[in-house]
Amino acid sequence: LVLSFLGGPLKLTNLLQEQPMVEHMGILKRVLPPYRPGANFVSKVVVGILQYAVVTPLLFVMTACLRGSLQDPDLARFHRGLLRLKAVPPIIKGISCVCAMYHLALLRRETRQYLDKLKPVLKFVGIYCVIFLTFFQGFVVDAVGSFVCYPHPKAHAHQSELSRQQFLASMKSLLLCIEMPLFAEIHGCAYPTVE
């Protein structure tokens, strides 16, 4: 969307061609080499943002395979290792999300002079809230849920785990229902009908 506001990747490449080297933000400035302006910067930022759209479906498939493996009685001896492996997709998704948001912030910083008339900060905050905050609140709900004690009688072990899963899912859904009117209001202000 930001690229289309700026006239597409080719026009943005031409706009940024004469700018100095693009330094990274924060501590990454000391670790990563700067991007060359123009096509190099635009391509790396686009890849950094869009990698999230590729990583997410792959992680969904990985999670589905792990879930199926956990329920397979033939793989019962690997149950503990599979449970540990189940933590990998959310961590990778978190890293991917941070990478996408970082590159979006980098694009915003370098194109500020061209985007100011569009009030991009509110647009950025609106998208940030929906994607980033709802994703990481899942981590928080799961962490809090792991500290809550659930009844665990041996006869009903499967039933208590199911109720724990349902409780965590319903907490995430409740938080989402509370947040969505706020997100909708932010988007209503960020994307007025006159644009």
Side-chain angles (χ1 to χ4, degrees):
L1 187 61
V2 172
L3 282 176
S4 57
F5 280 136
L6 293 168
L10 292 176
K11 185 173 180 186
L12 180 60
T13 298
N14 293 334
L15 285 172
L16 299 177
Q17 195 67 41
E18 301 303 319
Q19 299 215 355
M21 297 290 276
V22 180
E23 293 287 333
H24 287 277
M25 296 186 285
I27 196 165
L28 293 178
K29 187 184 307 183
R30 295 186 183 125
V31 180
L32 297 174
Y35 291 149
R36 288 190 318 269
N40 181 268
F41 170 73
V42 172
S43 64
K44 288 188 177 179
V45 165
V46 168
V47 168
I49 294 168
L50 294 182
Q51 55 77 30
Y52 183 78
V54 174
V55 169
T56 302
L58 293 176
L59 292 175
F60 173 76
V61 170
M62 184 177 175
T63 303
C65 291
L66 284 171
R67 184 165 293 171
S69 301
L70 285 169
Q71 295 171 353
D72 188 351
D74 295 335
L75 298 175
R77 62 187 167 161
F78 300 112
H79 191 73
R80 181 174 283 165
L82 289 170
L83 279 175
R84 288 189 182 124
L85 196 59
K86 191 177 173 185
V88 171
I91 292 169
I92 293 173
K93 188 173 181 183
I95 292 168
S96 175
C97 188
V98 167
C99 180
M101 296 306 290
Y102 171 77
H103 280 91
L104 195 57
L106 200 58
L107 179 66
R108 161 72 176 117
R109 186 188 74 186
E110 295 302 312
T111 58
R112 177 177 293 158
Q113 63 193 19
Y114 309 111
L115 290 175
D116 276 344
K117 63 181 180 235
L118 299 171
K119 300 180 210 150
V121 174
L122 198 54
K123 291 172 176 58
F124 187 73
V125 168
I127 291 171
Y128 173 82
C129 288
V130 171
I131 294 173
F132 202 65
L133 295 179
T134 56
F135 172 73
F136 281 106
Q137 84 184 9
F139 278 126
V140 173
V141 169
D142 287 339
V144 170
S146 68
F147 292 112
V148 175
C149 293
Y150 298 93
H152 213 323
K154 294 201 184 268
H156 303 292
H158 176 69
Q159 187 178 13
S160 72
E161 180 61 24
L162 185 63
S163 65
R164 177 183 179 277
Q165 296 273 343
Q166 288 174 338
F167 173 76
L168 293 176
S170 62
M171 287 305 299
K172 291 175 189 175
S173 297
L174 175 67
L175 287 172
L176 201 57
C177 288
I178 292 170
E179 295 164 349
M180 275 305 143
L182 175 65
F183 296 160
E185 188 61 36
I186 290 172
H187 279 290
C189 294
Y191 300 97
T193 56
V194 294
E195 284 186 2

